[in-house]
Amino acid sequence: MAQQITRFLDPRSIAVIGGGADSLAVIAALRAMGYVWDIWPVVPGVAKVAGIRARARLSDLPRPPDAAFVGGTGEDAAQALADLARLGAGGAVCPAAQDPAVAQAAGGMPVFAGAVALPAARVLLSPQPTGLLPVPRGVAVLGQLDQDWRGLPVAAVLPRGQGAGTGWLPLGLQLLARDRVSALGLRLDRLGDAQDLLQLGAEAQRLGKPLLVCLPEASLGQRALVTRAGAALVEDEATLVEALRLVHLIGPLPANALAGLGCSGAARDLLAAEAQARDLSFAALSPAQLARMAEDLRGRTPPANPLEAGALLHAEDGLLARLMAEMMAGAAVLTLAALDGAAPGDWARLAAAGAAARDRLGMPVALLSVDAAQMDAARARALAEAGLIPLAGLGPGLGALRAAIDLGRAPRRVTPLLRPVLPPEGAGVEEISGSVARAALGLALAGPSDPPLLRLMLVAEQATGYVLRLGRAGPVALLPQSVREIAQMAERARRDPVEAKAVAEAVRAVQDYVTAEAGLVAGIEADLCLGRHGAAALADLRIRRWQGDAEAWRRM
């Protein structure tokens, strides 16, 4: 079955079944893409279709096609899918397969009800244009996106399919293995098996290809699972497109440290506010940087990061480029210039300054259009060809940077989850508190004068495992965590080193207890007092635990 989907993804022969307008449009799209292999129209009673010799029946083809487009509806479409499956075709695109009865006729053969675009293979199996062009290398997307690609180099777009090998794990593994795929994006309505995402993430890391997941309304556990898989979560389809563009061009970002310019006062203020909302940091400028920038600016605007650079677009030659280069000479890993409502000449001046600054220091420069409509496909391609990173829309563009930073922070090794048991329906739950619970964790009882509290919450989710959260809006992770990961999580929860150490000790105690209980823990709530003699103490603790025999349940 893996061989079938391999043939479908790199087809050397495509059957186009049915003589309607859709089939003619598919042939035209294949020609426009520059597809050079065999196209076989199958239409009874017709000698030629679009100038290509037609066959009356699928059985007249010289060999089973690697891919097929099936026009028509109802019984005609179902019969064509059944015939293709019987011949041993690699797979098919059939709009009528949205009807489960039609799709079932294909048996185990891969079939997709939505458009399939493989620009790296010069294939478009859709009667509708997509705006995609042939590319030697680009990103791959699993899932249907109703989104303007804005010049994004796309190697493959595959909607959700039916039949063997069309789940997102086998398709994702197939796409990651291709040299022409630089990064993979998943557009999911539901996550499915957690182990599938971990396996896909491990393979993406092995190959050094970024993995991005768009999952609307993801739970805390699902968010933590995406992180555990070494991937990054994005909030919507527009952000997925921009994040894929960013990682295709430069890969993950090594640090949360940006240099920012707003090419108007409004753009600068929007950039600062929206970046703060996404926990994006602008790198502090050193005294030497500030001094050199002040000398260049001569009082036009205060040197700062982000910088208000509206008056600099029309300044003397080289000034904006010098300032951009100076801002990226410190701790920043990327320079971001935001432009709002700009004229074509402003874009040209900003692009020239960005390219000059990049050439001087070799650091990446991104140009962000606050109004996404101004970053059309032509402008995005031109900026990318000039060695710059185009980003469309303030929210999607900053979300893409957040995703690239998250990828840079992702664990370098994907590890298994600590999973709770699945108790039978009606299994009892006991609550343990007081001295018995404190003794189970081995932590001290807090005194009346101990410092402020931090809430620790642990929830057993069958889909993702044990979800641990520190604080009401603090960091979230899945167990088990390494000693280093626990320390990093504690540091995000409490900046004070003594308090962070105390939190880390408490988390290790919780993890040791949950591990020893072999999946019987249903949840833990604890209020930690921090800093007393450098250790955490418990002001309150409740442990919920399933009653029964875990080993017996596992054998059920």
Side-chain angles (χ1 to χ4, degrees), residues 168-552:
W168 57 260
L169 174 61
L171 281 178
L173 293 173
Q174 285 263 0
L175 291 171
L176 284 172
R178 282 164 165 72
D179 291 338
R180 291 180 293 183
V181 170
S182 59
L184 177 62
L186 302 180
R187 171 59 178 93
L188 305 176
D189 292 319
R190 60 183 185 85
L191 194 57
D193 190 339
Q195 187 55 43
D196 286 353
L197 185 60
L198 294 179
Q199 183 180 344
L200 193 63
E203 184 64 8
Q205 288 201 339
R206 188 185 72 82
L207 296 170
K209 297 184 179 183
L211 176 62
L212 293 151
V213 179
C214 178
L215 179 66
E217 300 180 2
S219 68
L220 287 177
Q222 290 170 333
R223 289 174 177 272
L225 179 65
V226 170
T227 300
R228 184 65 163 254
L233 187 72
V234 298
E235 58 194 27
D236 53 40
E237 294 180 2
T239 304
L240 178 60
V241 168
E242 300 310 311
L244 285 168
R245 187 197 317 278
L246 180 59
V247 298
H248 169 76
L249 291 173
I250 63 169
L253 288 173
N256 186 3
L258 307 175
L261 299 92
C263 296
S264 70
R268 189 264 180 202
D269 292 343
L270 280 171
L271 182 62
E274 292 297 321
Q276 183 178 21
R278 289 167 174 79
D279 195 27
L280 294 172
S281 297
F282 292 101
L285 300 174
S286 70
Q289 285 177 288
L290 290 169
R292 287 190 290 267
M293 289 174 65
E295 184 178 350
D296 263 336
L297 287 166
R298 298 175 188 174
R300 283 180 249 209
T301 187
N305 188 16
L307 178 70
E308 201 280 277
L312 307 178
L313 280 174
H314 301 272
E316 64 268 22
D317 288 346
L319 174 59
L320 184 56
R322 289 199 306 275
L323 288 165
M324 293 177 75
E326 188 59 58
M327 292 186 74
M328 69 172 71
V333 298
L334 178 142
T335 297
L336 175 66
L339 202 55
D340 185 16
D346 292 338
W347 276 106
R349 282 184 283 273
L350 184 60
R358 182 214 59 225
D359 290 344
R360 189 175 303 175
L361 271 79
M363 300 292 287
V365 175
L367 304 190
L368 185 151
S369 174
V370 175
D371 177 8
Q374 285 208 330
M375 189 62 74
D376 58 17
R379 175 165 287 150
R381 290 193 186 99
L383 290 173
E385 288 170 2
L388 301 169
I389 303 164
L391 294 173
L394 185 62
L398 294 180
L401 289 167
R402 177 74 262 170
I405 291 167
D406 290 343
L407 285 168
R409 290 176 169 176
R412 293 292 172 260
R413 186 170 65 90
V414 178
T415 55
L417 297 174
L418 181 61
R419 307 296 288 267
V421 297
L422 183 61
E425 187 175 352
V429 178
E430 62 177 333
E431 184 169 298
I432 307 169
S433 58
S435 59
V436 175
R438 293 187 182 96
L441 292 188
L443 295 175
L445 175 64
S449 61
D450 281 334
L453 303 177
L454 175 72
R455 171 58 63 94
L456 181 153
M457 294 283 294
L458 181 81
V459 178
E461 290 189 0
Q462 294 298 336
T464 57
Y466 284 104
V467 184
L468 176 70
R469 183 173 187 174
L470 297 177
R472 298 190 183 279
V476 179
L478 298 178
L479 300 186
Q481 295 280 298
S482 68
V483 172
R484 180 184 178 187
E485 289 168 338
I486 289 174
Q488 291 172 339
M489 185 181 186
E491 288 167 4
R492 292 199 300 273
R494 308 298 285 201
R495 294 187 177 181
D496 180 271
V498 174
E499 292 185 351
K501 181 180 179 182
V503 171
E505 290 174 354
V507 172
R508 286 197 297 271
V510 167
Q511 179 166 283
D512 290 346
Y513 172 73
V514 174
T515 302
E517 288 295 298
L520 283 175
V521 176
I524 294 177
E525 295 181 28
D527 288 329
L528 303 177
C529 290
L530 307 173
R532 191 179 84 166
H533 308 301
L538 295 166
D540 190 21
L541 172 64
R542 292 177 297 280
I543 299 174
R544 297 175 65 249
R545 184 181 183 280
W546 283 297
Q547 295 175 317
D549 185 341
E551 288 304 318

Side-chain angles (χ1 to χ4, degrees), residues 75-101:
E75 292 183 4
D76 289 341
Q79 185 61 55
L81 290 175
D83 291 344
L84 285 166
R86 185 168 54 254
L87 285 173
V93 172
C94 177
Q98 296 180 48
D99 180 350

